[in-house]
């Protein structure tokens, strides 16, 4: 008995109607596309439903690649260009049999080609097209893809300097494909920026992933000028100007998501260095809990940001996630009833219902001048990107005393230090005491990879530095040992560590009397303030982070060691 056709199976299951099947078959005749893809494109079935039907009809297993870890030796049985061309990926081998996960398991041309390349028997499995493409991106390196794009040996690249950005032929060039590869790979690996760095005899490509610079395979030096020109054309920069720094921006779609890219060029002795800042709008959807807030700090933070007036500060070094916290906070307080205005340098994301202003110091649009103009627009909430100078600090404090809620950032080591920093800028202590409502300090720490988590004991030097030598047998230290899923780094993602100081009447009185940082810190601790390092210890106990990463990100360890806290921990585990 012959097997039922795919369309008839779907009709039987009630996934589509006979009219929908007829029209889709007509479309298949005219376009030559596969029936399943036509039905998915029309939104009549899902990719998973198609996978189920094909697996049943062909009696071949279906795989979930997201749940698998593939051996790199198996991956390299099939070249990246073949994997991309046929949308397939090798998943495992037993003896002389190689199993392929395929989006189209009836593609016998692909099977024959891989059989010829590997000299192995091929066994078929089926997986979704999206999962296969993601696996190709995850398991094949930039170097594999570069070889596919550029070829070997390398031919001289096209000169894009005089090509218009709208030229249809441009998309076929190796340079355009290379730029797309670098950006899409950065987005998929959660890189915050891409560094294209010219040296005397090579062009270096580095990604910053989770705060750490990582080198990728580099294109040949001969492509340097064309690569930089392509990026400058796409971001509307002056291609002919190579002696001065330039800043631009462009938008690109990766996996259906809009990605904002900020371009910065800098002349060096070996050519222009380009840094591409990657701003993924999907990160805007993050809630406080996803950022790393614990329940206590989240409750305290929500209480303070819903106050009608006052100054609220977020403190931390560059790349500590302050902007993400600010945008999450704006989303929390945003509503149709409130007039919210922000002043930023630069505006990183566009937010609905919020008026956003970008600083332009050359045109005289500075933080102080913009803030003065904003106050005439009757805002309920003001967000200043950063308090950089005494004038901005003074206006922020005074605005907080005249019925406005002011959110801003400041560069200090911890939350208590932010209070003294305002006074160091010349703000009178009585103004700080009256206007400041709370300070949040934060750091970003790399998260242990959950797929290769193991127990370990830190070295004695690390334990002594952390003040945890006596508790080394009490705390369950864990870290990632490295696996294919985390690119053998042992880390996967970032999490925030936060400390929060609420300016209570007691602390306000202490500020009025010009109390020292130590006095403010001690008073805050009696009121429940837990310093950054100790907040990090909670995440170490959970196995989320390792001690070495915590030490790397907390610069004020000596100040935050509270023996009573460690004693309490020791007693609790006795």
């Amino acid at each position: 008995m012959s097997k039922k056709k795919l369309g008839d199976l779907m009709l039987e299951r009630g996934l589509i109607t006979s009219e929908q099947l007829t029209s889709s078959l007509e479309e298949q005749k005219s376009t030559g596309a596969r029936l399943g893809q036509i039905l998915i494109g029309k939104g009549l079935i899902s990719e998973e439903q198609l996978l189920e039907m094909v697996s049943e009809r062909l009696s071949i297993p279906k795989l979930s690649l997201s749940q698998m870890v593939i051996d790199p030796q198996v991956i390299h049985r099939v070249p990246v260009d073949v994997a991309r061309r046929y949308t397939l990926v090798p998943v495992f081998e037993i003896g002389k049999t190689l199993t392929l996960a395929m989006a189209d398991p009836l593609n016998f041309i692909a099977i024959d080609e891989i059989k010829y390349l590997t000299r192995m028997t091929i066994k078929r499995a089926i997986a979704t097209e999206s999962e296969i493409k993601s696996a190709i991106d995850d398991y094949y390196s930039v170097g594999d893809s570069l070889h596919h794009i550029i070829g070997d040996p390398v031919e001289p690249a096209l000169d894009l300097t005089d090509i218009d950005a709208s030229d249809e032929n441009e998309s076929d060039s190796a340079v355009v494909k290379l730029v797309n590869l670098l950006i899409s790979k950065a987005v998929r690996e959660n890189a915050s920026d891409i560094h294209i760095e010219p040296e005397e005899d090579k062009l270096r490509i580095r990604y910053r992933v989770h705060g750490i610079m990582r080198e990728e395979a580099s294109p040949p030096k001969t492509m340097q000028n064309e690569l930089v020109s392509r990026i400058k054309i796409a971001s509307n920069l002056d291609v002919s100007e190579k002696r001065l720094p330039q800043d631009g921006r462009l938008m690109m779609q990766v996996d259906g998501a809009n990605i904002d890219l900020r371009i910065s060029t800098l002349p060096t002795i070996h050519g222009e260095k380009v840094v591409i800042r990657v701003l993924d709008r999907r990160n805007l959807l993050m809630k406080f809990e996803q950022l790393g807030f614990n329940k206590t700090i989240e409750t305290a933070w929500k209480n303070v940001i819903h106050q009608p007036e006052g100054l609220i500060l977020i403190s931390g070094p560059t790349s500590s996630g302050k902007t993400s916290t600010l945008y999450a906070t704006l989303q929390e307080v945003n509503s149709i009833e409130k007039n919210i205005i922000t002043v930023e340098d630069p505006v990183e994301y566009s937010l609905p219902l919020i008026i956003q202003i970008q600083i332009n110091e050359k045109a005289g649009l500075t933080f102080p001048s913009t803030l003065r103009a904003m106050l005439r627009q009757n805002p309920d909430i003001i967000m200043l990107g950063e308090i950089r100078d005494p004038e901005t600090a003074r206006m922020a404090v005074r605005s907080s005393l005249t019925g406005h809620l002011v959110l801003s950032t400041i560069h200090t080591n911890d939350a208590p230090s932010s209070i003294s920093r305002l006074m160091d800028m010349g703000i009178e202590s009585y103004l700080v005491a009256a206007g400041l409502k709370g300070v949040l300090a934060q750091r970003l720490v790399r998260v242990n990879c959950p797929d290769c988590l193991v127990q370990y004991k830190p070295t004695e030097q690390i334990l002594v530095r952390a003040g945890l030598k006596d508790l080394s047998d009490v705390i369950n230290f864990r870290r990632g040992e490295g696996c294919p899923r985390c690119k053998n780094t042992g880390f996967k993602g970032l999490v925030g560590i936060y400390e929060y100081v609420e300016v209570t009447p007691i602390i306000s009185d202490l500020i009025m009397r010009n109390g020292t940082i130590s006095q403010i810190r001690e008073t805050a601790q009696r009121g429940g303030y837990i310093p950054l390092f100790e907040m990090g210890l909670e995440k170490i106990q959970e196995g989320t982070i390792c001690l070495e990463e915590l030490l790397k990100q907390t610069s004020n360890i000596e100040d935050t060691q509270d023996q009573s806290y460690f004693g309490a921990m020791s007693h609790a585990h006795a």
Side-chain angles (χ1 to χ4, degrees):
M1 183 178 173
S2 61
K3 290 184 179 178
K4 291 182 180 178
K5 291 183 178 180
L6 188 62
D8 294 332
L9 271 175
M10 292 182 185
L11 202 59
E12 264 187 24
R13 299 286 171 88
L15 296 175
I16 55 174
T17 64
S18 55
E19 292 81 8
Q20 289 168 339
L21 176 59
T22 303
S23 66
S24 297
L25 288 170
E26 288 295 324
E27 188 176 329
Q28 185 184 29
K29 285 179 186 175
S30 60
T31 63
R34 296 200 300 268
L35 177 62
Q37 295 306 315
I38 292 170
L39 294 169
I40 290 172
K42 289 181 173 182
L44 299 175
I45 62 170
S46 68
E47 208 173 9
E48 282 295 331
Q49 287 171 325
L50 175 64
L51 194 72
E52 194 78 45
M53 293 290 105
V54 174
S55 173
E56 182 180 329
R57 182 175 178 273
L58 300 179
S59 301
I60 59 175
K62 60 182 179 121
L63 299 176
S64 175
L65 296 183
S66 61
Q67 306 298 319
M68 296 180 67
V69 177
I70 306 173
D71 187 335
Q73 288 186 332
V74 174
I75 281 289
H76 286 99
R77 291 281 185 197
V78 178
V80 65
D81 57 325
V82 176
R84 289 190 191 280
R85 191 189 321 143
Y86 296 124
T87 317
L88 55 83
V89 68
V91 287
F92 44 80
E93 62 177 87
I94 300 172
K96 277 294 185 180
T97 301
L98 180 68
T99 300
L100 300 176
M102 306 178 71
D104 180 9
L106 294 176
N107 190 337
F108 295 107
I109 294 172
I111 293 169
D112 288 342
E113 183 172 341
I114 294 168
K115 192 182 292 184
Y116 173 78
L117 285 170
T118 61
R119 307 294 180 189
M120 299 178 79
T121 304
I122 303 302
K123 188 175 178 182
R124 297 174 297 167
I126 187 170
T128 63
E129 186 175 341
S130 58
E131 280 198 329
I132 291 172
K133 286 180 177 178
S134 178
I136 292 171
D137 289 330
D138 285 343
Y139 288 102
Y140 288 99
S141 69
V142 170
D144 296 324
S145 300
L146 274 179
H147 180 78
H148 170 52
I149 290 171
I150 298 167
D152 188 22
V154 177
E155 297 180 2
L158 298 174
D159 183 5
L160 296 185
T161 305
D162 298 319
I163 296 179
D164 186 79
S166 62
D167 193 333
E168 290 179 0
N169 295 325
E170 185 183 11
S171 62
D172 298 327
S173 74
V175 179
V176 173
K177 290 177 181 176
L178 175 57
V179 172
N180 290 341
L181 167 70
L182 292 175
I183 293 170
S184 59
K185 189 77 173 175
V187 171
R188 288 167 189 147
E189 296 195 3
N190 295 314
S192 60
D193 39 59
I194 308 164
H195 293 248
I196 301 168
E197 303 167 323
E199 296 183 4
E200 186 174 1
D201 56 357
K202 71 176 292 187
L203 182 63
R204 191 184 301 276
I205 304 290
R206 292 197 292 171
Y207 290 170
R208 187 182 292 279
V209 181
H210 308 324
I212 304 296
M213 296 288 275
R214 190 187 75 202
E215 187 168 6
E216 288 286 356
S218 298
K221 177 76 172 175
T222 54
M223 293 187 74
Q224 177 178 315
N225 292 337
E226 289 83 357
L227 180 60
V228 173
S229 293
R230 168 60 196 161
I231 293 168
K232 290 170 78 172
I233 286 169
S235 50
N236 293 318
L237 299 180
D238 185 352
V239 180
S240 62
E241 180 55 79
K242 300 179 179 180
R243 299 164 299 170
L244 296 173
Q246 296 187 66
D247 293 305
R249 62 184 296 178
L250 65 103
M251 181 83 76
M252 180 173 166
Q253 271 214 346
V254 177
D255 298 335
N258 288 326
I259 307 297
D260 262 329
L261 302 165
R262 300 305 164 91
I263 316 298
S264 171
T265 70
L266 187 68
T268 75
I269 58 173
H270 299 303
E272 290 178 280
K273 173 178 176 176
V274 179
V275 175
I276 303 173
R277 183 83 188 273
V278 182
L279 302 170
D280 192 339
R281 290 171 179 266
R282 289 171 292 187
N283 294 336
L284 280 179
L285 303 174
M286 294 183 78
K287 302 296 183 186
F288 293 127
E289 187 179 356
Q290 293 171 289
L291 291 173
F293 280 59
N294 66 17
K295 288 295 180 186
T296 304
I297 287 186
E298 183 177 347
T299 301
W301 186 245
K302 284 183 176 179
N303 285 340
V304 75
I305 64 176
H306 284 289
Q307 290 189 19
E309 61 184 26
L311 175 63
I312 302 167
L313 295 177
I314 300 174
S315 164
T318 303
S319 300
S320 61
K322 298 190 299 297
T323 302
S324 296
T325 305
L326 269 178
Y327 277 84
T329 301
L330 286 175
Q331 286 194 123
E332 174 70 24
V333 298
N334 193 10
S335 75
I336 197 73
E337 291 88 10
K338 290 177 181 173
N339 177 18
I340 303 175
I341 306 179
T342 75
V343 194
E344 304 169 65
D345 185 22
V347 173
E348 296 201 3
Y349 299 101
S350 176
L351 296 173
L353 208 63
I354 293 177
I355 308 302
Q356 295 173 273
I357 304 165
Q358 182 153 318
I359 291 300
N360 185 347
E361 294 193 354
K362 289 181 182 175
L365 197 65
T366 62
F367 276 109
S369 65
T370 308
L371 186 50
R372 275 192 291 270
M374 280 167 55
L375 291 173
R376 294 193 288 272
Q377 297 275 318
N378 190 26
D380 297 297
I381 298 172
I382 297 167
M383 191 271 269
L384 296 173
E386 185 184 343
I387 292 179
R388 298 176 178 172
D389 53 73
E391 188 178 0
T392 306
R394 185 173 298 279
M395 291 198 67
V397 173
R398 290 193 178 277
S399 300
S400 71
L401 295 170
T402 55
H404 306 94
L405 185 68
V406 182
L407 297 166
S408 191
T409 68
I410 195 166
H411 284 278
T412 58
N413 276 340
D414 61 5
S417 302
S418 303
I419 299 170
S420 60
R421 177 62 59 84
L422 287 176
M423 292 189 280
D424 290 342
M425 286 181 170
I427 312 299
E428 292 84 350
S429 57
Y430 69 90
L431 291 176
V432 176
L436 189 63
K437 301 300 179 187
V439 185
L440 184 80
Q442 66 180 83
R443 297 288 190 279
L444 283 180
V445 181
R446 290 194 290 175
V447 175
N448 291 330
C449 173
D451 297 305
C452 56
L453 201 61
V454 295
Q455 275 190 269
Y456 80 110
K457 186 170 182 179
T459 64
E460 187 171 339
Q461 183 183 2
I462 293 291
L463 290 168
V464 169
R465 188 176 156 211
L468 297 174
K469 189 178 178 183
D470 295 339
L471 294 171
S472 59
D473 296 327
V474 173
I475 300 174
N476 183 16
F477 294 103
R478 282 167 284 179
R479 68 179 174 193
E481 62 177 352
C483 66
R485 283 191 177 275
C486 62
K487 311 288 186 190
N488 291 312
T489 62
F491 302 104
K492 204 169 184 182
L494 293 166
V495 69
I497 294 175
Y498 302 87
E499 64 176 25
Y500 176 66
V501 170
E502 180 185 356
V503 181
T504 60
I506 298 172
I507 292 178
S508 180
D509 183 57
L510 196 56
I511 295 170
M512 286 275 287
R513 293 186 280 110
N514 294 313
T516 64
I517 296 178
S518 297
Q519 289 173 325
I520 292 170
R521 186 178 287 117
E522 287 169 11
T523 305
Q525 281 180 314
R526 287 196 294 271
Y529 157 70
I530 300 175
L532 277 170
F533 181 72
E534 295 176 17
M535 293 298 289
L537 286 178
E538 292 182 7
K539 296 194 183 296
I540 285 175
Q541 285 283 74
E542 296 164 3
T544 307
I545 63 174
C546 67
L547 181 59
E548 289 80 358
E549 285 297 305
L550 177 61
L551 287 174
K552 191 186 296 183
Q553 296 301 329
T554 50
S555 59
N556 54 336
I557 295 162
E558 290 80 12
D559 292 334
T560 61
Q561 287 178 4
D562 177 10
Q563 296 306 317
S564 64
Y565 175 81
F566 295 136
M569 269 185 73
S570 181
H571 178 74
H573 290 84

